[in-house]
Amino acid sequence: MSELSVEHLLGIKYLKPNDIDVIFKTADHFKEVINRPIKKVPSLRDITIANLFFENSTRTKLSFELAEKRLSADVINFSAGQSSVKKGETLIDTVNNILSMKVDIVVMRHGNVGAGVFLSKHVNAKIINAGDGTHEHPTQALLDSYSIREKLGSVKGKKIVIVGDILHSRVALSNIFALQLQGAKVKVCGPTTLIPKYITNLGVEVETNLKKALEWCDVANVLRVQHERMDIKYFPSTREYTQLFGINKEILDNLGKKIVIMHPGPINRGVEITSDVADSDQSIILNQVENGVAVRMAVIYLLAQQIKR
Ligand code: CP
């Protein structure tokens, strides 16, 4: 099967293993394209895409916009901060006004869990979830798995530990779904206050000792503490968090093996990861960003093929 089984990309939990294969094979092609002197293909000349960002973003927003432009789509960008949302306009009204300008695909980041699913039921466009609250960030998980596959040859059978603030992370949940779909083993590591109670129901093991977690894994995906989503104190101090869960060169050098270090960004250098680790040859953080463009090109291209003209 060379087509997606879904009509929108709302979350990894809606995908089948074949969808990931199809996305990665298509991304392989686009990765070759974006490394050519002319980095553009005319595939989506007749498609218009709106990028709607109701929450801040650097990587995801720029990566989607570049992916769309590399596919020759027409692109419009919307940031809630400078929009009529500030005057009280609802999500549906905002999106329907944008869609009346003949938009085919909406890429949306929103602070509310399920915002993409809600939109997909009310508007006539393909919806791509670019992050919905603490729920899912499917293209981040796809580019993360794609980067592991590129570095280690495959994801199947690999041991991945996700370290940090699991409770508030959409990256963690989407990664868990994506990695398990591909046959990887997943653990999470962090303060118990930042690990959701339901996590073991997903077949994920919890390890609260960072050294043991790193000794077990092939890959550590390190997450930022999301202070902006916290309304109470989850640990005594940032200093203590860094002492117990921060990844530094000394910890890595004492493992006796070389693990792969990932981070979705933005990084809080010196908190969850030191600069000498983030910038080391074990880190594939910038490869993740590079691969994000090819993976997003693949997702957009595959969904656009379903649009009847
Ligand atoms: N990884 C990620 O989603 O980064 P941004 O918030 O900058 O888009």
Side-chain angles (χ1 to χ4, degrees):
M1 286 273 288
S2 59
E3 291 168 8
L4 293 181
S5 69
V6 290
E7 290 179 23
H8 310 274
L9 182 63
L10 301 172
I12 301 289
K13 71 173 165 224
Y14 302 107
L15 298 185
K16 298 186 166 53
N18 184 64
D19 292 318
I20 296 188
D21 282 348
V22 171
I23 291 168
F24 286 0
K25 282 187 186 128
T26 311
D28 286 342
H29 167 68
F30 287 129
K31 181 142 187 188
E32 187 266 314
V33 167
I34 60 180
N35 281 294
R36 290 179 194 162
I38 297 171
K39 301 170 172 52
K40 222 171 151 135
V41 285
S43 317
L44 300 194
R45 266 195 316 217
D46 52 350
I47 294 287
T48 303
I49 305 178
N51 298 315
L52 312 187
F53 279 74
F54 293 85
E55 267 192 355
N56 294 345
S57 171
T58 298
R59 280 146 293 271
T60 312
K61 191 163 182 266
L62 292 176
S63 179
F64 266 112
E65 186 173 348
L66 195 57
E68 292 151 7
K69 288 178 172 170
R70 297 271 192 254
L71 291 165
S72 302
D74 290 320
V75 179
I76 54 174
N77 289 305
F78 164 96
S79 295
Q82 290 105 46
S83 74
S84 291
V85 168
K86 293 275 168 207
K87 301 175 195 165
E89 192 164 55
T90 66
L91 175 62
I92 295 289
D93 280 345
T94 300
V95 176
N96 273 329
N97 274 275
I98 292 166
L99 292 184
S100 66
M101 299 177 210
K102 310 287 177 219
V103 167
D104 304 292
I105 300 177
V106 172
V107 174
M108 184 171 74
R109 171 168 288 189
H110 199 283
N112 290 350
V113 169
V117 173
F118 174 76
L119 205 59
S120 71
K121 291 181 177 155
H122 290 91
V123 302
N124 184 23
K126 297 279 175 197
I127 310 295
I128 300 175
N129 178 6
D132 61 328
T134 56
H135 183 219
E136 281 229 37
H137 191 351
T139 57
Q140 179 69 46
L142 290 167
L143 74 88
D144 288 345
S145 286
Y146 186 84
S147 302
I148 294 170
R149 168 183 176 265
E150 183 178 72
K151 181 74 181 175
L152 299 179
S154 79
V155 175
K156 191 174 165 62
K158 298 295 180 300
K159 295 183 218 163
I160 322 289
V161 64
I162 306 173
V163 183
D165 180 0
I166 313 298
L167 185 67
H168 300 102
S169 174
R170 52 196 174 208
V171 174
L173 195 57
S174 285
N175 259 275
I176 288 165
F177 291 141
L179 292 165
Q180 289 180 336
L181 267 185
Q182 294 165 89
K185 299 187 186 86
V186 188
K187 284 190 184 184
V188 293
C189 178
T192 46
T193 50
L194 289 178
I195 295 179
K197 299 279 175 284
Y198 63 77
I199 206 86
T200 49
N201 298 339
L202 300 178
V204 173
E205 279 181 48
V206 177
E207 174 57 74
T208 52
N209 181 309
L210 179 65
K211 188 167 172 286
K212 282 189 189 166
L214 297 179
E215 281 167 354
W216 170 82
C217 75
D218 302 304
V219 178
N221 196 351
V222 188
L223 305 179
R224 171 179 75 89
V225 174
Q226 301 202 25
H227 291 288
E228 73 277 19
R229 298 194 195 280
M230 295 183 182
D231 45 11
I232 57 167
K233 234 170 150 40
Y234 286 85
F235 47 85
S237 68
T238 302
R239 189 158 170 268
E240 184 175 312
Y241 179 88
T242 302
Q243 276 174 352
L244 292 174
F245 298 103
I247 299 193
N248 58 46
K249 189 140 189 332
E250 192 189 340
I251 295 172
L252 289 191
D253 287 350
N254 286 331
L255 287 179
K257 63 173 184 177
K258 274 206 159 189
I259 61 168
V260 176
I261 300 292
M262 304 176 71
H263 195 307
I267 298 175
N268 286 153
R269 286 175 182 260
V271 179
E272 71 273 11
I273 191 168
T274 53
S275 283
D276 53 4
V277 173
D279 304 331
S280 70
D281 62 359
Q282 285 175 253
S283 160
I284 59 166
I285 294 171
L286 292 180
N287 305 72
Q288 291 172 256
V289 179
E290 181 187 341
N291 288 333
V293 178
V295 167
R296 291 182 172 114
M297 285 173 82
V299 168
I300 294 163
Y301 174 83
L302 290 163
L303 287 176
Q305 300 318 296
Q306 302 172 353
I307 296 171
K308 294 185 179 51
R309 302 186 184 95

